[in-house]
Amino acid sequence: MWNLSRPDWQDRIRTGQSLLPDLKLNQADVRRAVSIFNKLRIPDVPGSPPFGEAAGDWFREIVGALFGSMVNGERMVREVLLLVPKKNSKTTNGAGLMMTALVDNQRPRAEFLLIGPTKDVADLAFSQATGMIEADPEGFLQKRMHIQEHIKTITDRRTKAKLKIKTFDSSVLTGVKPVGVLVDELHEIAKSPSATNVIRQIRGGLLPNPEGFLVFITTQSDGRPQGAFRAELMKARQIRDGRATGSMLPVLYEFPDDIAVDPARWQDPSNWPMVTPNAGRSIQIERLLQEFEASKLGDPGEVAGWASQHLNIEIGLGLKTDRWPGAEFWARRADPSITLESLLDRCEVVCVGIDGGGLDDLFGLNVLGREKATRHWLAWSHAWCHAGVLERRKSIAAKLRDFEAAGELTIVDDELKDVAEIVAIVSQVKDAGLLACVGVDPAGLGEFIEALAEIGVTQEDKLVVGVPQGYGMMNAIKTAERKLANGTLRHSGSGLMAWAVSNLKIEPTATAIRATKQNAGDAKIDPAMALFDAVVPMSLNPEPARAPEYQLIFV
């Protein structure tokens, strides 16, 4: 297996160097493939210039690495993930790569697939591929290739190999056994609940062909990465950074870490050429600047959406004008050292917040502790959901599976063991002598209140309180956002909580505010509301359930 890592990528992208690793390519194969690619003409540009004149070396390198990596009949670079912003000739270059594969292919009746996320994208890819054939000035491709527009298929008359352009759909992609596949806009395809299974089937279909390849070309997601896109992106980053091995070539045009986390720096146009490899060809930095300035005239969410698509900025939290103000500070206060166990060890008193619990909701739990030495607040969260939510809310099913894999969410069946598991955590806090109170949304929690009573946590003992909801939670909302701003509230960095926080919408009236969802149904906020349920009793400055331990020091 070849080493496909490029751990010095951050230095290289700053200076405009190649992001590809040093590979021992078959130079004869590289020259042949690049020659085919260079001769293809771009059909929707005046004069139909060939790729040899109009394409950037950055993409030619990818073509050379993919087709020049054959060793003893086996392709060593079997996969590519190209993360590149919009307007960098992504779909056109992809169509050119697949036409190169069709022309270069020697396997009789081989099947190649180019998969678009929507009909419009698939139509554009097919139009570009057929346009390259029609623009061949020597007429060689017109004679060799047979175009069937009604089924979006191009057949090589010499080898009978076919290039099929398809719209992503689980039914039409099941059972395929292609030689090469290009998936355009993986981040859009990943929104389908079936995406992970279909990609697994494509990989399985490629296995019998030693020269098989799979290419993903995509921009960054316009929301938090999820499902198949998140999984492939994480894999590519690990290979690129040298933290994992594999046959995927990662070519990721994203800012170095210090720029990506600093809005002032990634909004600086002088840094944009780092992630715009086709600058000066299909896109001009000046044009990007005009579009950026236009996005700033809308709400902050417009800027975030524009940046995700044109600068590959990964969206973490919502930036809408009606967002919870605490969302601005949420990511900064993440502390991965906070676990349930470390929180109980570091804190002198704990309040637990509970929210949700319906079959269409998440059952959110937040353990909020006051640290012994600093009196800062530390928060740890978990949530549960019924398996039926994955069917009723298919748009977030992949996201919920990601949270489950991260250990932040538990999916339960009809036995509904969520209550028992939550009570076990409350019991753990109580047994540690730290429990001050459990704050709950009073609606629909009769079963939970009864289960708490079995471990001696009752309203009569003032260990359970009903937390006012709606406008009655205004003080808790404002307290949490102020403590996030000044750094005296830190949390475990849960992706589930970050998502819930991004879904919060603040509705003001003349005298109060309340927290609700950005979008009804799919935008779950229960884990965030559980935090506010814990903030209410913690704001009353409860005394420790046991006297703090002091160490006598003699001087």
Side-chain angles (χ1 to χ4, degrees):
M1 181 178 294
W2 283 5
N3 179 3
L4 300 181
S5 68
R6 184 88 263 184
D8 60 344
W9 71 272
Q10 299 197 49
D11 293 332
R12 298 180 70 87
I13 201 168
R14 292 178 201 274
T15 54
Q17 297 182 69
S18 170
L19 299 183
L20 271 67
D22 298 324
L23 302 174
K24 297 180 179 179
L25 301 173
N26 183 314
Q27 292 303 317
D29 289 347
V30 171
R31 286 191 295 271
R32 184 179 66 253
V34 170
S35 175
I36 294 170
F37 177 77
N38 282 343
K39 290 177 182 178
L40 296 171
R41 292 179 173 265
I42 303 175
D44 59 350
V45 173
S48 298
F51 279 116
E53 297 176 5
D57 288 338
W58 66 278
F59 197 82
R60 260 186 291 275
E61 287 185 336
I62 296 172
V63 173
L66 183 64
F67 294 100
S69 64
M70 295 291 290
V71 176
N72 297 325
E74 182 177 356
R75 195 180 305 277
M76 305 306 290
V77 177
R78 287 187 65 86
E79 298 188 8
V80 177
L81 194 151
L82 170 60
L83 181 72
V84 63
K86 282 186 174 180
K87 299 187 178 179
N88 280 276
S89 199
K90 176 175 55 62
T91 298
T92 300
N93 283 345
L97 185 149
M98 295 307 288
M99 282 300 301
T100 299
L102 185 63
V103 173
D104 190 51
N105 168 68
Q106 300 300 315
R107 179 183 287 272
R109 302 187 181 277
E111 183 175 15
F112 298 91
L113 298 177
L114 195 163
I115 302 168
T118 65
K119 182 178 183 299
D120 287 344
V121 174
D123 286 347
L124 174 60
F126 182 71
S127 175
Q128 295 294 81
T130 57
M132 292 172 195
I133 295 171
E134 294 164 355
D136 179 12
E138 299 177 0
F140 168 74
L141 291 179
Q142 292 97 314
K143 296 177 181 177
R144 180 168 167 178
M145 302 297 172
H146 174 54
I147 300 172
Q148 295 171 280
E149 292 197 13
H150 63 295
I151 55 174
K152 291 187 177 64
T153 298
I154 300 170
T155 303
D156 184 339
R157 290 187 172 97
R158 181 173 63 85
T159 63
K160 307 302 181 185
K162 297 179 184 294
L163 170 59
K164 299 179 179 179
I165 288 83
K166 294 178 175 287
T167 303
F168 178 83
D169 183 286
S170 58
S171 62
V172 300
L173 296 175
T174 301
V176 296
K177 293 185 177 181
V179 171
V181 180
L182 187 146
V183 177
D184 196 3
E185 292 292 26
L186 176 62
H187 81 275
E188 287 291 339
I189 287 173
K191 295 176 182 178
S192 167
S194 62
T196 299
N197 288 335
V198 172
I199 290 172
R200 185 185 301 116
Q201 291 167 357
I202 291 174
R203 281 193 168 108
L206 287 166
L207 281 177
N209 299 316
E211 77 273 32
F213 67 84
L214 172 61
V215 177
F216 299 109
I217 301 182
T218 185
T219 61
Q220 181 55 263
S221 174
D222 53 2
R224 286 185 67 88
Q226 66 180 50
F229 172 67
R230 181 180 183 275
E232 301 300 335
L233 179 59
M234 293 301 101
K235 181 197 301 180
R237 285 173 174 167
Q238 289 176 333
I239 293 174
R240 175 197 63 187
D241 297 344
R243 293 181 285 119
T245 59
S247 58
M248 174 184 281
L249 176 67
V251 187
L252 312 178
Y253 285 94
E254 52 188 5
F255 285 118
D257 295 340
D258 60 318
I259 298 177
V261 300
D262 185 348
R265 298 187 67 186
W266 61 251
Q267 291 182 17
D268 181 353
S270 67
N271 288 323
W272 295 356
M274 291 186 206
V275 295
T276 314
N278 230 45
R281 296 181 180 87
S282 61
I283 184 61
Q284 307 295 326
I285 297 298
E286 293 77 10
R287 175 66 182 276
L288 284 179
L289 182 57
Q290 293 172 9
E291 293 187 359
F292 173 62
E293 293 297 333
S295 74
K296 290 163 65 176
L297 299 177
D299 62 48
E302 290 293 323
V303 173
W306 182 89
S308 72
Q309 298 301 284
H310 296 279
L311 300 178
N312 274 348
I313 293 295
E314 183 172 322
I315 291 180
L317 297 176
L319 295 174
K320 306 174 180 69
T321 54
D322 54 1
R323 73 194 187 281
W324 177 45
E328 179 181 347
F329 305 96
W330 188 261
R332 306 183 208 175
R333 306 308 177 209
D335 181 354
S337 72
I338 298 174
T339 63
L340 177 59
E341 290 71 21
S342 71
L343 184 151
L344 297 183
D345 184 59
R346 293 161 62 179
C347 292
E348 62 183 4
V349 65
V350 168
C351 294
V352 177
I354 304 292
D355 191 273
L359 292 183
D360 194 35
D361 293 325
L362 303 188
F363 210 149
L365 171 142
N366 189 275
V367 179
L368 183 65
R370 191 173 68 214
E371 198 170 23
K372 298 173 188 174
T374 65
R375 296 181 69 83
H376 290 177
W377 293 1
L378 309 181
W380 177 86
S381 304
H382 196 81
W384 291 256
C385 78
H386 183 259
V389 174
L390 303 177
E391 291 299 320
R392 286 188 293 272
R393 304 294 179 187
K394 291 186 177 180
S395 66
I396 61 171
K399 193 183 302 289
L400 296 179
R401 288 295 187 189
D402 289 341
F403 297 143
E404 180 189 32
E408 300 165 355
L409 175 73
T410 300
I411 299 174
V412 299
D413 56 23
D414 291 346
E415 294 184 13
L416 295 177
K417 294 181 179 180
D418 46 4
V419 169
E421 293 178 6
I422 294 172
V423 170
I425 292 175
V426 175
S427 180
Q428 184 178 352
V429 176
K430 181 173 180 284
D431 291 345
L434 301 175
L435 183 65
C437 185
V438 178
V440 301
D441 174 358
L445 287 175
E447 176 191 8
F448 178 67
I449 299 300
E450 293 173 2
L452 284 177
E454 295 179 4
I455 61 169
V457 177
T458 66
Q459 292 173 287
E460 291 74 19
D461 293 331
K462 298 183 179 180
L463 290 178
V464 180
V465 296
V467 176
Q469 301 294 300
Y471 300 112
M473 195 173 274
M474 180 176 68
N475 183 61
I477 295 170
K478 290 185 173 293
T479 296
E481 66 194 46
R482 288 179 62 85
K483 291 187 76 65
L484 282 166
N486 65 25
T488 58
L489 169 56
R490 304 195 304 280
H491 57 87
S492 60
S494 157
L496 172 63
M497 272 297 288
W499 176 61
V501 165
S502 74
N503 290 334
L504 285 171
K505 174 183 177 182
I506 300 300
E507 293 184 349
T509 67
T511 58
I513 62 169
R514 71 172 185 145
T516 185
K517 301 177 181 181
Q518 288 283 357
N519 300 295
D522 293 349
K524 302 302 182 183
I525 62 173
D526 309 280
M529 298 304 291
L531 169 63
F532 298 144
D533 288 336
V535 167
V536 170
M538 185 62 82
S539 299
L540 301 177
N541 196 28
E543 290 298 319
R546 63 183 181 187
E549 297 178 2
Y550 297 96
Q551 180 179 2
L552 295 178
I553 301 178
F554 296 91
V555 296

